[in-house]
Amino acid sequence: MASPTPTSEPAATPPTATESPSSPWGFVVTVVCDIVLPVGLYYALRAVGAGEITALLLGGSAPALHTLHSAIRHRRLDALGVFIIALLLVSALGSLLTADPRLALARNGLFTALAGLWLLITLFTARPFTYQALRSLLPGRATLLERLWETDASFRGVWRGLTVLWSVGLLCDAVLRLAMAYTLPVDTVPALDGVLYAVSWLLLQVITQVTLYRSGTMTKIFDRRRPGR
């Protein structure tokens, strides 16, 4: 299953999932725009003599531009996209007014923490986030998935449990990002943010896939003998 990171930084905020989740390029584009470009731009600008705040703000503009491009392309800007752009603008303004580059660094931890809290909130809705992400990834199996959700308690339990897993994982990731932002040298944090994203995402993905296979959930979803595919 693809990362249920709602599309924001890395948040493992998760990065912003503004591309179509069913497209194999969606995750690649998100990683490039929300992680690779910000880090690459930061160190490129620092190499030519730009200040910390300038490099952070210009590098951090890539996720906002990605969100705007997606909104224009799909003629839609959802609440999450508005939130991402607003948070980037607020953190940029705060960094300029306080002349504190660590405020710009801390926004990644804030993105991730808010994403983790949002996942927890979805546990109290009709469908938790990870199940919604599954539906988006497998639109052709929507009928089967809904049948399983309505009739199979263990199936529902798996997706609620995975939502808790990703929420806790993102909150732990956020704590580490905030700690790095305020304790480590500024120039080391952007690269470590990218490394932390990769580690967090891979760890959560491995646990997710093991859970899906050991619980028999993958068999339920892809068993060709089941009616209503």
Side-chain angles (χ1 to χ4, degrees), residues 28-68:
V28 174
V29 171
T30 295
V31 169
V32 170
C33 292
D34 293 358
I35 299 176
V36 176
L37 279 180
V39 174
L41 282 173
Y42 176 81
Y43 289 111
L45 290 168
R46 290 290 284 155
V48 298
E52 293 170 341
I53 292 180
T54 300
L56 285 169
L57 295 183
L58 291 178
S61 66
L65 293 175
H66 177 214
T67 300
L68 285 174

Side-chain angles (χ1 to χ4, degrees), residues 20-227:
S20 170
S22 60
S23 167
W25 291 105
F27 179 70
V28 174
V29 171
T30 295
V31 169
V32 170
C33 292
D34 293 358
I35 299 176
V36 176
L37 279 180
V39 174
L41 282 173
Y42 176 81
Y43 289 111
L45 290 168
R46 290 290 284 155
V48 298
E52 293 170 341
I53 292 180
T54 300
L56 285 169
L57 295 183
L58 291 178
S61 66
L65 293 175
H66 177 214
T67 300
L68 285 174
H69 173 267
S70 179
I72 294 171
R73 178 183 174 186
H74 299 290
R75 298 180 181 179
R76 181 188 66 199
L77 182 62
D78 57 21
L80 185 58
V82 173
F83 168 75
I84 292 167
I85 294 173
L87 189 54
L88 287 168
L89 291 175
V90 169
S91 67
L93 181 60
S95 298
L96 289 173
L97 292 177
T98 63
D100 184 4
R102 296 189 182 278
L103 183 59
L105 291 174
R107 71 183 172 207
N108 287 348
L110 180 59
F111 273 135
T112 309
L114 291 175
L117 290 173
W118 180 62
L119 262 67
L120 274 183
I121 290 172
T122 68
L123 288 171
F124 301 96
T125 64
R127 303 288 189 273
F129 176 79
T130 52
Y131 176 77
Q132 295 178 42
L134 176 72
R135 282 282 309 264
S136 297
L137 288 167
L138 301 174
R141 295 179 181 267
T143 300
L144 171 60
L145 293 175
E146 279 300 297
R147 180 178 293 112
L148 286 169
W149 180 266
E150 294 292 342
T151 63
D152 192 330
S154 63
F155 183 82
R156 294 193 298 270
V158 166
W159 295 107
R160 289 193 175 108
L162 288 176
T163 299
V164 173
L165 167 71
W166 280 85
S167 177
V168 172
L170 290 178
L171 290 173
C172 291
D173 180 279
V175 170
L176 291 175
R177 288 182 190 280
L178 291 171
M180 291 192 304
Y182 285 100
T183 61
L184 298 178
V186 171
D187 282 335
T188 67
V189 176
L192 290 177
D193 263 352
V195 172
L196 179 57
Y197 170 78
V199 172
S200 297
W201 188 84
L202 287 173
L203 178 60
L204 290 171
Q205 276 287 11
V206 168
I207 297 174
T208 296
Q209 297 303 324
V210 170
T211 299
L212 292 176
Y213 278 102
R214 294 191 64 177
S215 66
T217 303
M218 294 295 283
T219 301
K220 294 177 182 178
I221 295 172
F222 294 103
D223 187 350
R224 295 180 179 274
R225 294 171 297 179
R226 281 182 175 269

